[in-house]
Amino acid sequence: MFYYQSVVLLPVKALGERVALFLAQNHDLAQKTVLLARAIPPTDGQRLDDALLMEINAESLRNPRLLAILQRADQKMKHEATTMIRRHLPQVSEEALADSSELIAIIVEGVEFRRLYEQTPAQRKRLMQWYKALFLEINAAALSQ
């Protein structure tokens, strides 16, 4: 019984910390692009957290309780993202907000999986520019809906 509880409680703690970090970083586009492009190399602890999140996602396919926890964390992050976008773009429709939040989540989560692979410093710098342009373009597309 203890093992099962620790398998569920450990991801809950890791998810809570990741959600809190995401929400703290979510309000600064420049900082977000730096983090996504890994212009500041991740620490061993951050790499371990990323690996743990991959394991949590895999386990959620077998564990409905863990899947529910992931879904709640996802909803919390999307709510925060839509609140942030709404502050900057009050005229955007709810549908466009939901779509842009989902697209940003897909990009950010995909980046986390790609962190396993090394990039050159020059590539990181270019990626920072791409991420910024992508996020601005997503917001511009939301405005046009």
Side-chain angles (χ1 to χ4, degrees):
M1 182 68 167
F2 175 73
Y3 173 74
Y4 177 75
Q5 286 178 336
S6 66
V7 166
V8 173
L9 291 178
L10 180 62
V12 170
K13 182 177 184 289
L15 282 173
E17 290 170 0
R18 182 56 67 106
V19 169
L21 179 63
F22 176 82
L23 296 179
Q25 298 166 343
N26 209 28
H27 299 282
D28 185 344
L29 179 60
Q31 179 64 18
K32 193 71 173 171
T33 59
V34 166
L35 293 169
L36 289 173
R38 291 179 292 163
I40 301 170
T43 65
D44 288 341
Q46 289 167 327
R47 280 194 274 283
L48 192 57
D49 285 350
D50 289 342
L52 178 60
L53 285 173
M54 288 182 215
E55 292 291 332
I56 291 169
N57 279 302
E59 179 61 27
S60 73
L61 297 174
R62 298 179 289 274
N63 184 330
R65 185 172 171 205
L66 186 54
L67 179 59
I69 292 167
L70 281 175
Q71 289 170 335
R72 283 193 304 272
D74 183 64
Q75 288 304 314
K76 184 176 182 178
M77 287 192 291
K78 283 182 186 173
H79 175 75
E80 177 67 22
T82 57
T83 299
M84 182 190 73
I85 295 168
R86 169 74 62 216
R87 252 193 317 267
H88 297 288
L89 305 169
Q91 66 276 35
V92 174
S93 72
E94 289 302 316
E95 185 177 79
L97 273 175
D99 293 346
S100 64
S101 294
E102 180 65 19
L103 186 54
I104 290 170
I106 290 167
I107 292 168
V108 170
E109 290 172 19
V111 167
E112 289 176 1
F113 281 91
R114 295 294 304 166
R115 286 185 188 182
L116 297 173
Y117 308 103
E118 196 57 38
Q119 299 159 344
T120 66
Q123 186 178 27
R124 288 183 194 133
K125 186 175 181 179
R126 291 189 307 271
L127 285 171
M128 283 175 33
Q129 295 167 347
W130 276 101
Y131 291 132
K132 183 176 182 181
L134 274 170
F135 292 145
L136 293 173
E137 184 61 32
I138 289 168
N139 288 336
L143 281 171
S144 68
Q145 287 188 355

